[in-house]
Amino acid sequence: MSPTPTTRLAPSPTGALHLGNARTFLVNWALARQRGWRIVLRIEDLDGPRIKPGAADSIVGTLAWLGIDWDQGPLIQSSEPGPAIDAMTRLAQAGLAYPCRLSRGQVESAASAPQAGAHEATFPAALRPPEAGRPCRFDPAAWPDAAWRFLTPPGEVGFVDRFAGPRSIDPGATIGDFIIWTRRGTPAYQLAVVVDDARQGVTHVVRADDLLDSAARQLLLYRALSLTPEPEHWHLPLVLGPDGRRLAKRHGDSRIDAYRTVGVPPSAVIGLIAHWCGLSPDGPEPMTSGEFLRRFDPDRLPRSTITFLPEHDQWLKSQAE
Ligand code: GLU
């Protein structure tokens, strides 16, 4: 029997939702509602120091204010550590995970060319300890200040992204043995996302293309853990500031709550996102989430990055009630 098609909205409560996140969630929601996929809302709160108190509630409130709904959740990622511990136990027993005490600085100085913009330093196979690859017991208490790494196999991981097209990525060459369990004693993003997607029945992953490279690492973990079915991916181009960099404070306040506070209605935010999604090419026009859903057509989504221009900000503010 094939599984119920299921997608997830997976915000990290590291700050309030901004226009770029809202674009991704609205597209994910519209794809799901048009195609009858179930939607799970999952709060990814494992990113220790970056988590902001109150951000999860604020994000859930903002999604609802925009008219986005879901069928299950919010599920809180940190509330159930058991499945990730089981996965680590299996990987360690299979010789595919090992503890590593090297600091980020030590790894960076050993890597020949750090990857531009990478969150994690590339870990070359030359740095593997001699015991890597041997079955071991996953026992973080015995290794108090170690992170655990995945023994990344050599070779390309191929997959067909439904939006970005066919991809072939070699995680062994580009990122090496990546971290799957942090020194803080929590599952790292790559492992947590795979374990949760699999157990929550996620079949469709829709997100921004800054995570395209991560998809290959996640597929390796699916295979190492014999998890099926592997999800189908849709990676969307990012929304950037006029300088071509990720949306940030220097581009003005693009948080949805900041617009909401000055009286901008949800229909204006959705209208701007609809314009970015190719639904109103001549310029933004106010639109409810229901109208967005009726008009949404993935074939009209732009293939290249979207630029948040000063005139977009001005238009949103001109819609304040
Ligand atoms: N929580 C991640 C983020 O907000 C998304 C993870 C994912 O979609 O796999 O960037």
Side-chain angles (χ1 to χ4, degrees), residues 8 10-12 44 189 193 205-207 211 218:
R8 77 306 200 272
S12 295
E44 303 213 319
Y189 161 69
V193 101
V205 170
V206 181
R207 58 191 177 191
L211 290 171
Q218 292 163 13

Side-chain angles (χ1 to χ4, degrees), residues 31-97:
L31 273 171
R33 289 292 177 243
Q34 282 187 350
R35 294 166 184 231
W37 306 341
R38 197 170 70 89
I39 304 177
V40 177
L41 173 61
R42 182 172 76 221
I43 306 291
E44 303 213 319
D45 62 341
L46 288 172
D47 199 354
R50 295 180 59 231
I51 302 301
K52 301 250 168 23
D57 287 346
S58 138
I59 289 169
V60 173
T62 306
L63 290 172
W65 180 77
L66 286 169
I68 292 176
D69 63 352
W70 50 90
D71 306 304
Q72 190 187 357
L75 306 177
I76 310 296
Q77 195 165 46
S78 64
S79 68
E80 267 188 89
I85 294 173
D86 290 348
M88 283 303 300
T89 303
R90 288 174 52 204
L91 291 173
Q93 268 164 3
L96 295 173

Side-chain angles (χ1 to χ4, degrees), residues 116-193:
H119 297 293
E120 196 177 320
T122 300
F123 188 92
L127 285 184
R128 279 179 187 159
E131 63 277 13
R134 293 199 202 125
C136 65
R137 206 161 74 83
F138 175 59
D139 184 2
W143 296 85
D145 30 284
W148 289 65
R149 294 183 180 273
F150 178 65
L151 193 89
T152 305
E156 305 270 331
V157 180
F159 59 99
V160 180
D161 189 281
R162 289 298 301 269
F163 194 77
R167 293 288 147 155
S168 188
I169 296 170
D170 184 345
T174 54
I175 196 83
D177 290 354
F178 53 91
I179 294 177
I180 49 179
W181 190 267
T182 71
R183 264 170 237 277
R184 294 190 306 275
T186 54
Y189 161 69
Q190 306 291 352
L191 181 79
V193 101

